[in-house]
Amino acid sequence: MKYIVEHYNYWLVIIIMMAGFYTVISRGNLIKKIAGLNIFQVSVFLLYISIGNVKDGATPIIEEGITLYSNPLPHVLILTAIVVGVATTALGLALVVRIKETYGTIEEDDIHNQDQSL
Amino acid sequence: MIESAVDITLLSLIAIHAVAIIRMRSLFAVIMLFGGFSFLSAGLFVAMDAADVAFTEAAVGAGISTILMLATLALTYAHEDVQKEEKQPTHKPWLPLSVVLITGGMLIYGTSDIPAFADPNAPAQKHVAPYYLKKSLPETGVPNVVTAVLASYRGFDTLGEVTVIFTAGIAVLLLIGGRRKSKIPFETRSNKE
């Protein structure tokens, strides 16, 4: 029981992570693939923030009378990661638009079929 | 107790959103669910004391990402196509499912080594974090430790981050910017070439 209480957070985050991973590798639609990639990304953020969390800790904004804070360093890392993540999402979606213009479809199977016929 | 109740509720809702995204075939619904997913995770960040991350996730993850995806949907599907659905998958799901289950199993096995969730004595909490919590206010004058580290101690890293975004912006412009939309439909174009 104690083991479950200490680790349930990580397990749920890993389940979400695997949901994103499954979307990426099993779905052929490119927009949906990018949504899956984003789910994966957000779950990694959740894992990092879980590691920085401290029981009964406060948000790391220094205030008199508070002694216990959560770890601010994962927060800094993830702030950077979120912004870089949106940059990669934008790039991926731009590639999707470009693929649509060239192939006329964003379904992976159709794209493979067209490439073989060339 | 109340904290773990909030934690479990939000995580379960997020997991339900993720599973719904897998199952939904209407792309508009997928994108809207993704917005809800991001917003719920922003709520979870607040519950886990990461206010700055929550702000960024709500603005950038739930806001800008969703808008970018909607814009892509508008550009890639015809106006007349009201459904905007993805095609029925042709492959059997067993191979990806087994890959995912094996990876997930290994990751869950790996968590047995991670210190307990929210443990104040975990190594991550004892190394450099106390230094920043103690010194950042006298050294930088910024009460928010995350801002102090991001903009002062690690200011050059943030500059590097700006470079990354700039590069991505240039790449997006090179891929789809500054061209007039081709009037020739795809099928006839390939015949001419």
Side-chain angles (χ1 to χ4, degrees):
Chain A
M1 188 64 204
K2 187 167 172 283
Y3 186 73
I4 295 176
V5 170
E6 283 175 347
H7 289 86
Y8 71 88
N9 188 289
Y10 304 131
W11 295 342
L12 280 168
V13 168
I14 286 169
I15 289 170
I16 299 164
M17 201 182 281
M18 287 306 111
F21 187 34
Y22 181 77
T23 318
V24 174
I25 62 177
S26 76
R27 291 295 182 260
N29 188 290
L30 295 176
I31 293 182
K32 202 161 169 182
K33 258 185 205 292
I34 286 182
L37 208 60
N38 267 304
I39 293 175
F40 195 100
Q41 205 170 37
V42 170
S43 63
V44 172
F45 301 162
L46 288 171
L47 190 68
Y48 260 76
I49 302 292
S50 315
I51 288 172
N53 191 17
V54 173
K55 198 174 170 51
D56 300 325
T59 305
I61 297 172
I62 305 295
E63 191 88 38
E64 266 182 55
I66 299 176
T67 49
L68 192 60
Y69 296 99
S70 281
N71 192 340
L73 298 178
H75 302 184
V76 178
L77 282 174
I78 296 311
L79 269 185
T80 311
I82 289 177
V83 177
V84 171
V86 105
T88 51
T89 306
L91 188 58
L93 291 171
L95 279 170
V96 171
V97 173
R98 196 66 194 77
I99 285 170
K100 167 74 182 180
E101 281 176 7
T102 311
Y103 286 89
T105 174
I106 57 167
E107 296 285 343
E108 217 177 34
D109 292 343
D110 298 347
I111 295 170
H112 283 307
N113 286 338
Q114 290 187 26
D115 272 349
Q116 274 158 15
S117 66
L118 279 177
Chain B
M1 194 62 227
I2 185 88
E3 274 192 351
S4 23
V6 170
D7 197 65
I8 290 177
T9 313
L10 281 173
L11 272 171
S12 315
L13 281 172
I14 291 172
I16 291 168
H17 271 72
V19 173
I21 288 175
I22 296 179
R23 296 188 57 85
M24 280 283 184
R25 293 199 23 252
S26 159
L27 289 171
F28 184 72
V30 164
I31 294 170
M32 285 299 110
L33 279 168
F34 174 72
F37 171 90
S38 286
F39 211 71
L40 280 169
S41 49
L44 189 56
F45 287 141
V46 175
M48 294 201 286
D49 306 323
D52 304 78
V53 182
F55 282 139
T56 318
E57 177 65 33
V60 173
I64 297 177
S65 288
T66 312
I67 290 173
L68 284 175
M69 283 189 193
L70 280 176
T72 313
L73 188 67
L75 282 173
T76 46
Y77 278 82
H79 252 310
E80 301 79 48
D81 185 4
V82 192
Q83 297 289 324
K84 293 190 172 51
E85 275 194 354
E86 70 167 328
K87 275 192 177 172
Q88 198 78 259
T90 48
H91 305 283
K92 289 268 180 290
W94 303 118
L95 182 64
L97 204 60
S98 57
V99 168
V100 161
L101 285 179
I102 291 169
T103 318
M106 288 200 297
L107 283 173
I108 286 180
Y109 172 69
T111 56
S112 57
D113 269 353
I114 301 184
F117 174 58
D119 180 9
N121 296 313
Q125 264 66 272
K126 291 289 166 200
H127 190 50
V128 287
Y131 172 89
Y132 288 109
L133 286 169
K134 210 172 287 162
K135 294 283 182 65
S136 70
L137 187 57
E139 280 183 358
T140 64
V142 182
N144 187 336
V145 185
V146 177
T147 314
V149 175
L150 195 75
S152 179
Y153 294 102
R154 288 280 168 268
F156 273 116
D157 288 1
T158 310
L159 186 65
E161 182 193 334
V162 174
T163 318
V164 170
I165 299 162
F166 183 61
T167 315
I170 291 176
V172 170
L173 280 179
L174 285 175
L175 279 169
I176 55 170
R179 292 176 298 119
R180 249 177 286 136
K181 229 182 171 179
S182 165
K183 285 276 183 278
I184 317 162
F186 173 73
E187 293 81 21
T188 49
R189 198 192 321 165
S190 54
N191 292 341
K192 272 182 193 162
E193 276 164 3

